[in-house]
Amino acid sequence: MASFAPLNGLALSGGGARAAYQAGVLKAAAEMDRNARRSPFPIISAVSGGSMGATILAAGANDFHAAVDALTRFWTSCSCRNLYGGLPVSRLGVAWRILCGAAGDGWLDARSARALFAAQADFEGIAAAIEAGTLHALSLGAYGYASQQTVHFFQGRGDLEPWRDGPIVSAHVRLGAEHLAAAFAIPLVFPPVKVHREYFCDAAAAGRPEAAALRLGAGRILSIEADLPVSTAQRRNTRLQSGMLQAAAHAVASGFGCSGGDVQAPTAACETIRFVPSVPLPQLARSHWSCVPDTLRKSLERIEEETAFQIASLLLFEQPFLEALLDLGYRDGVARRDDLQKFLAQP
């Protein structure tokens, strides 16, 4: 692997709508770094809902403030209708589509989301930023159903080499809409996405973006997560109602309680500033329950309340909730001004 001076890395995890929180933290960071034009994060790594933000920031690496503005506009333009079109209504229909998830279908229709991502993502801008030297690498993680491997698809300088660490592998590629869609495909909820010869889904439950940032040359990492950690004991004690629908819903919710996988050993010696929401996001979703579309709410009302709020925090792409997430992220960023300023002041 090529050797570089340590660089600043940005790691974005999260799931679905929760990733709007990250834009709020980055807005606070941009306001503290007014004189800088180029991005302070030449290495950006993401999984799950953080992937769209990572793609926008990477394409705008030549102008960090404009990129953060673009990211905020993206989140303030989202809605459930333009992220997923049809919603299943019947219990049988929901259960069947969940059961078919690993075979190529999903609970929700992802065609609208993929069209939106393709329209918003500037992949030519990513290549231009790498050519200009303002972006070292962008990595998007996804999980392969057949190989059972987390693959960090990355685009970066030509001398960057792929790595392998057990079930965690990487591939140096030219990123496209299919990689972004795969990274965002929440298991059992959105259909998996075919990339090359394999179907992939969101890797949030199987891998962490910090490890990829470190492998790509990051010496310092700003990690912005989009949920509070859920302990093993909490998962074990979660009450499960009988029935296949409840079990599948719990699997979706607990899979996004916290990210797992490859973060501990690789980042042990790396300076990392970690942001997690100061308010549990399922609790925030509960306070915006009236914003949940009727058909989605009818489905969620059939399962345990705690799990329903977890899933709502993933899928509630409605403006009141997204604006609350942006505001929470911004307030958390301002509250840790000293940490952010210290990080941004380093070359």
Side-chain angles (χ1 to χ4, degrees), residues 80-159:
C80 291
R81 183 171 294 276
N82 67 18
L83 261 294
Y84 44 86
L87 285 169
V89 178
S90 71
R91 183 184 183 91
L92 178 62
V94 174
W96 176 253
R97 296 190 74 182
I98 288 179
L99 282 173
C100 292
D105 200 355
W107 181 16
L108 301 178
D109 187 341
R111 287 174 295 182
S112 297
R114 292 177 188 175
L116 179 64
F117 294 161
Q120 294 283 338
D122 180 9
F123 294 103
E124 293 301 322
I126 293 170
I130 294 170
E131 181 67 23
T134 53
L135 181 66
H136 187 77
L138 167 65
S139 171
L140 303 178
Y143 180 77
Y145 277 112
S147 64
Q148 298 184 359
Q149 293 178 322
T150 297
V151 180
H152 293 287
F153 296 102
F154 71 92
Q155 182 173 347
R157 287 177 42 154
D159 48 0

Side-chain angles (χ1 to χ4, degrees), residues 281-296:
L281 300 190
Q283 178 181 315
L284 195 63
R286 179 174 189 161
S287 67
H288 289 82
W289 187 248
S290 62
C291 301
V292 178
D294 288 343
T295 48
L296 178 58

Side-chain angles (χ1 to χ4, degrees), residues 253 285 289 300-301 303-313:
W289 187 248
L300 295 179
E301 285 173 347
I303 61 180
E304 183 194 27
E305 186 177 81
E306 180 182 351
T307 303
F309 293 137
Q310 280 272 6
I311 295 177
S313 71

